[in-house]
């Protein structure tokens, strides 16, 4: 049995959790999220806690794996609707910048044309500096997926380190060619 799955998920005040069949909905101050629970897992909501237990259907290894995964996903949903998630990106390159306006993010990163992104529902983008991008939202998966899409446009290259990277990300640098006799 999963050690993570055994721990209950605490429901803070101001968060409402509803279960209808295999669907769990979590509502809070930052938004609303829904999750379809696997058939190998049972959910019990009581005493401001969510308890996750395997119900014995399916393979024991699979139900144990889904046990911890479902508990972690529910915990991420509760944290997302209370605190929210954020990914910080930085742009390194001379003259490269980003502008976030409404539901659109525009990157000028050395191509002959600007790269435009439409924001998915539930996400917000800020650009406190022209070389910084802050992606925020309640859904951890959506925030991480959109940040990965933005980073994939111009990932950091190993010779000069130019590109879009996460704040604090370490990029291994290569020496390059050296001419000698």
């Amino acid at each position: 049995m999963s050690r993570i799955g055994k721990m209950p998920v605490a429901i803070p005040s101001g968060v409402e959790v509803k279960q209808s069949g295999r669907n769990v909905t979590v509502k809070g101050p930052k938004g609303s999220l829904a999750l379809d629970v696997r058939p190998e897992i049972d959910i019990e909501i009581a005493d401001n806690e969510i308890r996750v237990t395997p119900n014995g259907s399916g393979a024991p290894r699979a139900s144990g794996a889904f046990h911890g995964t479902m508990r972690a996903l529910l915990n991420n949903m509760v944290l997302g609707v209370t605190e929210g998630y954020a990914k910080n990106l930085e742009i390194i390159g001379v003259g490269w910048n980003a502008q976030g306006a409404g539901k659109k993010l525009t990157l000028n990163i050395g191509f002959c044309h600007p790269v435009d992104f439409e924001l998915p529902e539930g996400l917000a983008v800020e650009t406190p500096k022209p070389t910084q991008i802050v992606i925020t939202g309640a859904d951890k998966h959506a925030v991480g997926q959109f940040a990965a899409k933005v980073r994939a446009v111009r990932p950091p290259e190993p010779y000069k380190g130019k590109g879009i990277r996460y704040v604090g990300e370490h990029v291994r640098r290569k020496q390059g060619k050296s001419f000698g006799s």
Side-chain angles (χ1 to χ4, degrees):
M1 211 148 119
S2 170
R3 292 182 191 176
I4 292 174
K6 289 180 185 177
M7 295 186 291
V9 177
I11 302 173
S13 62
V15 175
E16 182 181 332
V17 179
K18 289 183 182 176
Q19 180 181 10
S20 61
R22 308 271 350 136
N23 193 343
V24 176
T25 305
V26 180
K27 291 182 183 177
K30 299 260 183 188
S32 176
L33 297 172
L35 175 71
D36 289 330
V37 179
R38 297 280 308 191
E40 297 92 351
I41 303 299
D42 289 333
I43 303 292
E44 179 185 336
I45 302 167
D47 301 329
N48 289 335
E49 286 184 341
I50 304 172
R51 293 204 175 267
V52 180
T53 54
N55 59 16
S57 66
R61 288 183 63 106
S63 66
F66 292 131
H67 182 210
T69 301
M70 285 294 130
R71 189 261 177 209
L73 290 174
L74 289 168
N75 188 46
N76 289 343
M77 289 170 59
V78 170
L79 289 176
V81 298
T82 55
E83 300 168 13
Y85 290 100
K87 287 280 187 180
N88 298 322
L89 300 167
E90 61 183 349
I91 301 172
I92 296 177
V94 177
W96 294 5
N97 59 32
Q99 294 103 19
K103 289 299 222 176
K104 193 173 183 180
L105 176 67
T106 304
L107 303 174
N108 295 311
I109 49 174
F111 296 127
C112 62
H113 60 283
V115 179
D116 295 328
F117 284 101
E118 291 293 325
L119 291 177
E121 192 65 37
L123 296 186
V125 170
E126 298 174 13
T127 51
K129 294 181 185 174
T131 59
Q132 287 184 341
I133 304 168
V134 179
I135 302 167
T136 57
D139 188 1
K140 186 175 187 177
H141 175 75
V143 170
Q145 185 67 39
F146 187 70
K149 280 177 61 176
V150 171
R151 183 185 179 276
V153 173
R154 191 68 104 150
E157 54 96 16
Y159 295 102
K160 291 185 179 179
K162 293 168 41 173
I164 301 173
R165 65 174 80 173
Y166 297 110
V167 171
E169 177 183 0
H170 176 71
V171 177
R172 285 191 61 192
R173 302 291 294 271
K174 291 184 180 179
Q175 185 177 6
K177 292 184 180 180
S178 59
F179 295 99
S181 53

